[in-house]
Amino acid sequence: MLALHNATACTPGGLLRQAMLLVDDSSRISYVGPPARFEQRHGRSVDLQGMLLSSGFIDIHTHGGRGITFGQPGRQADDLAQYSQWVLRSGVTGFICSLAAPDRASLLSIVAECAEVLEIGLPGAEGLGIHLEGPFLNPERRGAFSRSWLRQPTLEEATALLEAGRGWIRMVTLAPELPRAGEVAALFHSAGVTVALGHSDASYEVASDALQGRWTHVTHTCNAQSPFTHRQPGVVGAVLTSERVTAELIADGVHLHAGALKLLNRCLGTERLVLVTDAMAAAGLGNGEYRLVGELVTVVDGVARLSDGTLAGSTATMDSCLRHWISATGCSPEVSTRLASTNAARAVGVMSSVGELVPGKLANLTVLDQDLRVRLVVVRGKIVYEEGLA
């Protein structure tokens, strides 16, 4: 049993001060509310000293970090185990592995291997599933991807990927303007996979139709997408005028200007925006040369680029993205944590088990101090990271 006292808790009903949260022996939240009397027969009791208690952060778009790139054949068990322990310090209690590969056979193989590792489980943050970023992307908006890694969508390959993933594929990024994209999106959607619009050169009209149909999410909004202009609003215009979709933000101070963050907040609101890192191997390390999706990437001053200057993922962490978002938009910390937890869980269909501080959900928790630094992380009811708490 775990008892957290004197918390400032971010609950669905609002901010609850001097709150108590109890975790039962099944690793689930049994109580969250005002201080209450209870009998603690075993376990630990922690005074959070008024610090902010949030549902655990979930990064639904990351390629790795601390020298690790997801999807390396034969290394995924060790890589994912190490990553799951490293990422805890940024408040992440669950993540989705973004995978890509140079050809169909390689992709099927690494998807199957990753699914097997996720089925066994990880020692730190939970591996919540797989994100297929590719191969069904528009080469004209490929971003950092090697053109040779991209292919036209087919029902045959989509079916094979679903079979290889054995239920672990949570999201697929798909450009809606590609031939047969609608059929492939319908197949993934019927399998319970979130279909995300991304790496797309679609017109406003095509993108709008997609976002009213099978596409319910947007990959790294404003990046690798047809931009907004007053005569051709493009994908970005379709996102800004959409009614229901969730949209990713890489709030690292590089991928999106502060004004863009404010605009997206004004148009979509904090209920529909999701903070992601889109991190690559250099996250948590320093300057140098790395590889990502088939290309050489150089990191200088924390910014990852190809030789032609194209941005190539980020070196950000979830806690740093949260701090930048709050600084840029002025949103309150208690509201902003939803973008890193509740909204992320909803976007990829895992809200039944995580994403909110409510009884019955798994006790995946993140505690932040007044400077929004991570001080405590709980995964499945167990403290797995702490800094400076008695």
Side-chain angles (χ1 to χ4, degrees):
M1 183 182 219
L2 175 66
L4 302 179
H5 304 269
N6 194 18
T8 303
C10 305
T11 74
L15 200 62
L16 184 62
R17 300 185 186 279
Q18 296 183 327
M20 172 186 288
L21 183 143
L22 302 178
V23 180
D24 63 22
D25 291 336
S26 68
S27 303
R28 296 184 179 273
I29 299 170
S30 60
Y31 175 81
V32 58
R37 297 185 64 181
F38 71 102
E39 181 182 359
Q40 185 166 359
R41 296 182 299 275
H42 57 87
R44 184 174 170 188
S45 179
V46 181
D47 182 354
L48 294 183
Q49 307 164 35
M51 287 188 280
L52 197 68
L53 173 62
S54 167
S55 181
F57 297 166
I58 301 171
D59 192 353
I60 64 172
H61 188 164
T62 173
H63 296 268
R66 195 61 181 175
I68 292 166
T69 298
F70 299 148
Q72 299 301 300
R75 290 172 37 187
Q76 294 196 71
D78 288 342
D79 283 353
L80 287 171
Q82 291 180 39
Y83 176 86
S84 77
Q85 293 173 308
W86 168 75
V87 79
L88 293 169
R89 69 193 63 198
S90 61
V92 172
T93 61
F95 62 96
I96 304 291
C97 306
S98 294
L99 298 181
D103 54 63
R104 171 176 166 162
S106 298
L107 184 58
L108 290 172
S109 177
I110 66 169
V111 166
E113 183 183 352
C114 186
E116 183 177 346
V117 174
L118 296 177
E119 188 70 39
I120 295 170
L122 299 173
E126 294 189 285
L128 299 175
I130 295 167
H131 165 215
L132 298 175
E133 190 173 13
F136 309 137
L137 313 177
N138 191 324
E140 298 306 311
R141 296 288 175 182
R142 64 187 180 276
F145 279 83
S146 171
R147 185 182 292 267
S148 65
W149 284 38
L150 308 182
R151 299 183 290 284
Q152 298 294 314
T154 67
L155 288 172
E156 180 187 11
E157 184 167 4
T159 299
L161 286 166
L162 287 169
E163 291 175 353
R166 301 196 304 278
W168 283 99
I169 297 176
R170 297 285 186 192
M171 182 164 66
V172 59
T173 295
L174 176 60
E177 71 273 21
L178 297 179
R180 304 193 73 179
E183 298 174 23
V184 171
L187 176 64
F188 278 116
H189 183 81
S190 68
V193 176
T194 296
V195 182
L197 192 158
H199 289 275
S200 170
D201 202 36
S203 67
Y204 172 84
E205 291 75 18
V206 170
S208 292
D209 285 346
L211 295 177
Q212 294 174 41
R214 306 295 189 188
W215 281 258
T216 61
H217 186 67
V218 182
T219 297
H220 45 50
T221 310
C222 299
N223 288 273
Q225 299 169 356
S226 51
F228 175 88
T229 69
H230 63 295
R231 291 194 176 93
Q232 295 182 343
V235 168
V236 174
V239 175
L240 294 174
T241 57
S242 66
E243 298 291 339
R244 62 184 180 89
V245 301
T246 49
E248 295 177 3
L249 307 177
I250 309 173
D252 62 349
V254 177
H255 283 78
L256 290 165
H257 188 279
L261 294 176
K262 292 178 181 178
L263 177 61
L264 286 160
N265 188 31
R266 180 70 63 87
C267 292
L268 274 70
T270 55
E271 296 297 321
R272 293 169 55 201
L273 297 173
V274 180
L275 289 176
V276 301
T277 64
D278 193 16
M280 43 84 75
L285 299 178
N287 296 339
E289 292 187 343
Y290 303 84
R291 296 202 70 85
L292 178 69
V293 293
E295 298 288 356
L296 179 66
V297 177
T298 301
V299 175
V300 177
D301 296 331
V303 180
R305 296 184 185 273
L306 302 184
S307 59
D308 65 1
T310 301
L311 288 172
S314 88
T315 64
T317 57
M318 281 296 284
D319 57 329
S320 68
C321 286
L322 178 70
R323 290 191 293 271
H324 181 75
W325 161 265
I326 292 171
S327 175
T329 64
C331 286
S332 67
E334 60 268 24
V335 169
S336 298
T337 56
R338 297 177 192 164
L339 280 67
S341 57
T342 306
N343 297 0
R346 184 180 298 115
V348 295
V350 295
M351 274 289 287
S352 62
S353 59
V354 294
E356 290 180 315
L357 298 185
V358 296
K361 298 278 180 109
L362 285 172
N364 288 2
L365 316 169
T366 299
V367 175
L368 304 170
D369 64 18
Q370 63 181 2
D371 297 320
L372 302 175
R373 303 289 173 177
V374 177
R375 298 292 295 277
L376 186 78
V377 177
V378 176
V379 175
R380 289 186 171 262
K382 295 182 179 180
I383 296 175
V384 289
Y385 176 84
E386 64 180 305
E387 182 179 333
L389 286 176

